[in-house]
């Protein structure tokens, strides 16, 4: 289990959560941010600082946003559009910087 970022982050991308994560596992895509599910230690520090309450414990993802649990994982486990290698566990988001790309589902997501 892990914390995940849901639909309310799309096109908001406030980034307050990034500052709170003690292990630097929140990565910036294009329209939203994503939590690396293999690295998140479930500390919960990110959840209360999001101004649009986009961060949820995996089991508590709001109805209708279930797909975002998969998309948070897909962002790391499968090659992103235009790439041939999955991001995996790069060992911290700061060094990676802004990815500037989303999963196909998020790219095409209609708010
Ligand atoms: Fe998104 Fe909220 Fe973080 S809008 S980038 S989940 S602070
Ligand atoms: Fe990071 Fe803790 Fe959130 S490990 S992603 S601040 S739950």
């Amino acid at each position: 289990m892990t914390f995940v970022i849901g639909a309310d982050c799309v096109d908001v991308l406030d980034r307050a959560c990034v500052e709170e994560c003690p292990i630097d596992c929140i990565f910036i895509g294009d329209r939203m941010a994503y939590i690396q599910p293999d690295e998140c230690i479930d500390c919960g520090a990110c959840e209360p600082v999001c101004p649009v309450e986009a961060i949820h414990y995996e089991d508590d993802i709001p109805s209708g946003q279930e797909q975002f649990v998969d998309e948070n994982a897909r962002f790391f486990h499968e090659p992103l559009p235009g790439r041939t290698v999955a991001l995996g566990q790069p060992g911290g988001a700061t060094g990676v910087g802004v990815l500037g790309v989303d999963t196909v589902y998020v790219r095409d997501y209609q708010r």
Side-chain angles (χ1 to χ4, degrees):
M1 291 300 156
T2 178
F3 277 76
V4 297
I5 299 179
D8 292 315
C9 181
V10 176
D11 297 335
V12 177
L13 202 55
D14 180 85
R15 307 187 193 197
C17 57
V18 173
E19 304 298 320
E20 298 299 320
C21 181
I23 59 164
D24 193 24
C25 75
I26 302 177
F27 290 69
I28 305 298
D30 182 33
R31 301 181 70 195
M32 67 173 284
Y34 302 80
I35 293 175
Q36 216 298 354
D38 307 306
E39 296 181 347
C40 175
I41 57 172
D42 295 354
C43 70
C46 56
E47 187 267 337
V49 302
C50 175
V52 293
E53 299 182 3
I55 305 176
H56 310 276
Y57 191 60
E58 181 176 346
D59 282 353
D60 299 328
I61 193 83
S63 177
Q65 295 188 33
E66 294 85 353
Q67 182 69 27
F68 281 83
V69 176
D70 290 342
E71 298 308 315
N72 273 250
R74 192 185 320 281
F75 189 79
F76 302 95
H77 294 163
E78 298 178 14
L80 290 163
R83 296 185 171 216
T84 55
V85 179
L87 192 56
Q89 291 182 254
T94 302
V96 173
V98 175
L99 274 303
V101 63
D102 292 301
T103 65
V104 171
Y105 178 83
V106 172
R107 182 192 69 194
D108 297 339
Y109 183 74
Q110 303 285 321
R111 279 184 67 95

